Structure formats: structure tokens, C-alpha cells
């Protein structure tokens, strides 16, 4: 939390006009400018960071947690050979009214199989009114969607209304809990979160891992993560020579090699708020 507070202080130096899309901070002068995603209303006086991208790349404390704690949890689930993929720290500030719309993850960074999963940890106590993550378990729904606009087929990153109508979102599990609560979801899971209506912030630190049996496809944000300062290293066991190809098809996002801005964190509509 101390390190997180330091990055919130750093964010006072940036505006929505001066930050860069993820993957565009290529020299020492702007190496942090592509790590901040700012909420509407962010100012130097009232900093509101929507996301700190790649925290494990920018501070050793985050990496220590990733390597020593999150990777061990991933190993428990995936087995002995685990690769780190990426990290992010998502915030929800009081009265920013940002929500994360229903989506799935694997389309953004496709692999040859569906072992990728994300381990989260709440840095503060999170109650129902703070917009905790909601996840539809794979036992309730396990189908992938293209995350495109139903009218023109453009990639939006969120489930369109036609697809969403067929998904039992009422069976989603809400993940509120005290500080230190761990969340874990597979990259196929449909998930979202509502706006934070409390007076406290809701930082959620997320680390994504995969079995080393999963090869990374050259699509979505994969190329950005591979060329980052630490890349996608093996954090448990070894790199498996033989990759496993799941026969199920996967819709993939466009190649975001030139820079990526998260498309599914949006301000809640008045209708949703009602």
C-alpha cells in the first residue's frame, strides 16, 4: 500500500493528454507515461488512477509479491511449470462511477490452450458497495465470444447485448472481502464489476499466469508484454518444449503492438446507475 500511494503521488504529474497507450513508453524520459490510465476528473489536486499497468515491471515490491505469492498460488492450480504473463493494478475511486463491463480475458492475449488465469488481491477491505469483481464460474457458463459490436463487427472488448442476453450473469459470484482477499478466475470466465459507490478506494492488484504448455499467439497485447522490460518469464519449473493446442476455437483481438488502451473500463450510464 505504501508503494501504491507513491505511484498515486506520481500520477499527479500526468493528465489524460500526457499519458501514452501501453507499449509506447520506449525511453527513460517517458517510461512511466504508458503505465498510467487516468479516470475522468483526475487532477493534480485529486488524483484518480484507473489503472497502473505492469506494476510488476516498475517496482520491486510488486514483483516480489508476484514472484513469491501470486506465482505460488498459480502453481497450486496449474502445476509445476508456470509462466508469468502480465500484471495490472485496477483502482475504483469514489464517485468516479467507472465500471468494468462484462467481458472475457483470453481474447485480449490468446494462447494455444486455456490454462491462463488471473490471481487478484484486494489491497483494501472491499464491501458490496465498492464494486467488487463479479465472476460467472466456468461450471455455469463456458463459451467464448468475439467481443465485437453486433452491428458492425468492430472490436469493443466487451460482450455485446445479443451475446450477453444468453449468459446467466445472475449466477455470477461476487468477490467482496477484507484486505488480502485473493480472487482467482480462468481467462474464459465472464466477469465485470459495478461502480464504487462508497467513500473509499478499491485497488485490486492482478497477476496473470499460464502453464508453460501454452504458447502465446501474436495477437492482442501479447507482443507488448513480450517486449516489456522483464518479458514473460518462467516463474516456476521450466519451459515446456511441447505445447498443447486446445481444439476449441478462440476469437482473437486485433494486434495491439502499436499501443493499447483498455476498452472496457467505462463510466457507468445513468440508466445503469439507476
Amino acid at each position: 500500500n505504501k508503494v501504491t500511494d507513491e505511484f498515486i503521488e506520481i500520477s499527479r504529474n500526468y493528465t489524460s493528454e500526457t499519458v501514452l497507450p501501453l507499449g509506447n513508453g520506449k525511453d527513460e524520459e517517458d517510461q512511466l507515461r504508458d503505465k498510467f490510465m487516468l479516470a475522468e476528473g483526475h487532477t493534480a489536486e485529486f488524483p484518480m488512477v484507473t489503472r497502473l499497468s505492469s506494476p510488476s515491471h516498475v517496482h520491486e515490491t510488486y514483483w516480489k509479491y508476484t514472484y513469491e505469492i501470486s506465482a505460488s498460488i498459480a502453481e497450486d492450480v496449474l502445476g509445476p511449470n508456470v509462466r508469468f504473463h502480465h500484471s495490472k493494478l485496477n483502482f475504483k475511486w469514489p464517485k468516479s462511477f467507472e465500471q468494468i463491463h462484462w467481458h472475457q480475458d483470453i481474447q485480449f492475449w490468446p494462447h494455444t490452450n486455456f490454462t491462463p488465469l488471473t490471481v487478484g488481491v484486494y489491497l483494501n477491505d472491499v464491501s458490496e458497495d465498492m464494486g467488487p469483481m463479479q465472476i460467472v464460474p466456468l461450471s455455469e457458463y463456458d463459451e467464448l465470444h468475439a467481443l465485437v459490436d453486433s452491428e458492425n463487427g468492430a472490436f469493443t472488448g466487451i460482450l455485446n447485448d445479443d451475446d450477453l442476453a444468453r449468459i446467466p450473469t445472475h449466477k455470477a459470484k461476487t468477490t467482496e472481502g477484507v484486505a488480502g482477499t485473493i480472487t482467482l478466475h480462468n481467462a474464459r470466465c465472464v466477469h465485470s464489476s459495478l461502480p464504487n459507490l462508497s467513500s473509499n478506494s478499491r485497488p485490486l492488484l492482478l497477476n496473470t499466469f499460464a502453464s508453460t504448455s501454452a504458447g502465446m499467439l501474436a495477437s492482442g497485447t501479447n507482443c507488448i508484454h513480450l517486449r516489456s522490460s522483464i518479458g514473460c518469464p518462467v516463474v516456476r519449473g521450466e519451459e515446456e518444449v511441447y505445447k498443447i493446442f486446445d481444439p476449441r476455437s478462440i476469437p482473437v483481438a486485433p494486434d495491439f503492438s502499436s499501443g493499447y488502451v483498455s476498452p472496457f473500463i467505462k463510466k457507468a450510464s445513468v440508466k445503469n446507475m439507476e
Side-chain angles (χ1 to χ4, degrees):
N1 278 317
K2 180 181 177 182
V3 171
T4 299
D5 289 343
E6 291 173 0
F7 278 98
I8 293 172
E9 286 299 308
I10 293 172
S11 77
R12 295 177 188 271
N13 301 316
Y14 298 100
T15 68
S16 57
E17 289 74 31
T18 59
V19 293
L20 298 169
L22 180 63
N24 280 12
K26 297 180 173 61
D27 57 44
E28 186 174 348
E29 183 178 348
D30 64 15
Q31 63 181 338
L32 281 179
R33 280 208 296 146
D34 67 340
K35 303 300 188 296
F36 289 102
M37 180 177 170
L38 306 176
E40 184 178 329
H42 167 89
T43 64
E45 294 74 24
F46 301 100
M48 292 193 296
V49 182
T50 293
R51 170 178 289 176
L52 176 64
S53 298
S54 305
S56 294
H57 297 64
V58 298
H59 199 283
E60 60 183 5
T61 296
Y62 290 128
W63 175 247
K64 183 177 181 181
Y65 169 78
T66 296
Y67 187 83
E68 296 182 2
I69 307 298
S70 277
S72 294
I73 295 170
E75 182 183 21
D76 288 343
V77 180
L78 297 175
N81 301 315
V82 179
R83 182 189 305 108
F84 168 74
H85 187 261
H86 75 278
S87 63
K88 51 185 174 278
L89 178 52
N90 285 346
F91 294 84
K92 280 196 182 168
W93 294 93
K95 313 310 180 190
S96 70
F97 299 114
E98 287 185 324
Q99 71 179 95
I100 296 182
H101 292 246
W102 292 105
H103 67 284
Q104 296 163 304
D105 289 340
I106 192 69
Q107 296 91 321
F108 288 88
W109 22 264
H111 286 62
T112 61
N113 63 50
F114 300 115
T115 58
L117 54 79
T118 297
V119 181
V121 60
Y122 286 127
L123 304 189
N124 294 342
D125 294 348
V126 175
S127 54
E128 185 69 34
D129 62 344
M130 295 174 72
M133 186 162 48
Q134 305 173 86
I135 307 172
V136 180
L138 290 186
S139 58
E140 300 290 352
Y141 190 82
D142 185 7
E143 180 183 346
L144 290 178
H145 298 275
L147 306 184
V148 298
D149 185 277
S150 56
E151 294 183 2
N152 57 29
F155 182 79
T156 63
I158 65 176
L159 288 156
N160 62 52
D161 290 341
D162 293 338
D163 291 334
L164 194 57
R166 305 198 305 271
I167 299 172
T169 55
H170 65 283
K171 294 184 177 182
K173 305 296 183 182
T174 302
T175 59
E176 72 275 4
V178 299
T181 293
I182 294 293
T183 68
L184 194 150
H185 65 278
N186 180 268
R188 294 178 66 94
C189 286
V190 173
H191 57 291
S192 72
S193 62
L194 293 172
N196 179 3
L197 302 180
S198 76
S199 57
N200 300 307
S201 64
R202 192 228 67 173
L204 173 61
L205 178 60
L206 299 158
N207 284 280
T208 294
F209 303 90
S211 166
T212 63
S213 69
M216 294 169 60
L217 306 182
S219 183
T221 59
N222 279 340
C223 291
I224 293 176
H225 298 310
L226 282 169
R227 71 169 186 250
S228 64
S229 58
I230 62 173
C232 299
V234 175
V235 289
R236 294 292 187 275
E238 61 185 11
E239 185 70 52
E240 298 175 63
V241 175
Y242 293 94
K243 304 304 177 186
I244 296 175
F245 288 74
D246 193 295
R248 291 172 290 180
S249 61
I250 174 174
V252 300
D255 185 354
F256 293 119
S257 294
S258 61
Y260 170 76
V261 176
S262 175
F264 53 77
I265 303 176
K266 301 179 179 179
K267 194 159 184 145
S269 67
V270 174
K271 181 179 178 181
N272 284 339
M273 293 305 301
E274 291 173 348

